[in-house]
Amino acid sequence: MTAVVCVDVGSTYTKAALIDLGEGRLIRRAEVPTTARSDVLEGLDAAVAAVGGGDELLVCSSAGGGLRLAVIGYESLVTAEAGHRVGLSAGAQVVHVAAGPLTGAGVSAVRAARPDVVLLVGGTDGGDAATLLHNARRLANARFRIPVVVAGNVEARPEAVALLAARGVPVTGTGNVLPRIGVLDPLPARSAIREVFLRHVIGGKRLSKGRRFGSLVRCATPDAVLAGVESLADLTGYGVLVVDVGGATTDVYSALVPDAESESGPRRDVAGTLWRSRTVEGDLGVAAGADGTRSAAGTEKLAPPADDRELAAAAAVIALRRHARGHAAGPGQPRTGGRDLRDVRLVVGSGGVLRHGGGERVLAAVLGDLAGGWAMPERARTVVDGQYVLAAAGLLAADHPTAAARLLRTLTEP
């Protein structure tokens, strides 16, 4: 038997799962407190030891707050919006979005958001180049030390990269997130953001004294979970929806079946459509995010949550409303990026409260939300990811797809 240990180093707990590669079967799992105040390797090694070790070790991490991303684009409803969607799909918490030529105040606003990475986009290929170059020059002159990923107009990209590199800004150039109007290409930028996260962010958070932790981490945890959701959708062939309620944030993932009219017909979105998407709500949670959940519940006209299960239900309902409705670039702006979830056939719940007996209540609240202004799944089955298989499957998906698929079958079987 060949066994792989998949580890998710979270901000609060470090979870390990020992997987039999041949059968794609969960052998054993363990959970220990994350040791971020000393060295995260202490908790990681303890979790690995608790499951008995394995032949291979795969690690994802959201410790230290995960990946914070700022997006700077050309137009709020087009390239900036496209960059925002790609950033979320890359496992990042998008903490700031700017559109148009940056001013001095705009640069200060980017700094104030404290991003780990800046995604600089703008212009379709062969389109506007001036804004991308202006913004690259602004960041260069401000002597940014935050890593920048340039994913805009292919013709202007080399000059933008050169401007930043000449001033010592860590910079990576990659494919345009929006090469043509209505065509969203997330994969190059997602890959570049992942590499920057591993190379610059993990070490910069000072989670561990040496280099071993950085060498072990393959991706941010939300990136691994999205890979697991994508594999689950490929396995089932139908729409999948996942809501993950945490202590500080609530994440929603959806993988939908592409619709021809939305791809090229009259319903086409100018910023492109991501059929596999994620949103993160940094104000919704059951611990550090509890006050945000209570405040948002009032805004959404929900009953005030009284205990952890009610907090989790409120966080899940509000996060799903935001995910499905899309978001507005500012007051009075139209909503973009909404999701039609009517054809979703499988709804998966995740998070500590759901795994410890609150899953049925939380998912019932989500599917019973008749006043949310979004199109709910019409014939979906619900399940709780009680064994953390989504993150583990996401870590396995690239190198061990068969084992990942077999592991995910535990979520598809009644």
Side-chain angles (χ1 to χ4, degrees), residues 69-74 79 83 98 100 102 117-123 131-140 147-153 157 160-161 163-164 171-177 189 193:
L69 184 78
V71 178
I72 302 171
Y74 172 42
T79 53
L102 280 174
V117 181
V118 173
L119 177 61
L120 181 60
V121 298
T131 303
L132 183 71
L133 295 176
H134 170 90
N135 290 339
R137 192 173 289 108
R138 272 282 187 182
L139 295 178
V148 176
V149 172
V150 181
N153 185 332
R157 186 176 65 228
V161 169
L163 285 167
L164 291 159
V171 59
T172 301
T174 192
N176 195 348
V177 300
I193 291 169

Side-chain angles (χ1 to χ4, degrees), residues 240-283:
V240 174
L241 176 66
V242 176
V243 57
D244 183 1
V245 183
T249 68
T250 297
D251 294 355
V252 179
Y253 305 79
S254 58
L256 308 179
V257 177
D259 171 67
E261 284 194 9
S262 296
E263 286 277 18
S264 57
R267 293 167 53 193
R268 184 180 69 161
D269 190 326
V270 293
T273 301
L274 276 181
W275 296 106
R276 278 88 189 274
S277 179
R278 165 186 175 263
T279 51
V280 57
E281 305 302 337
D283 62 331

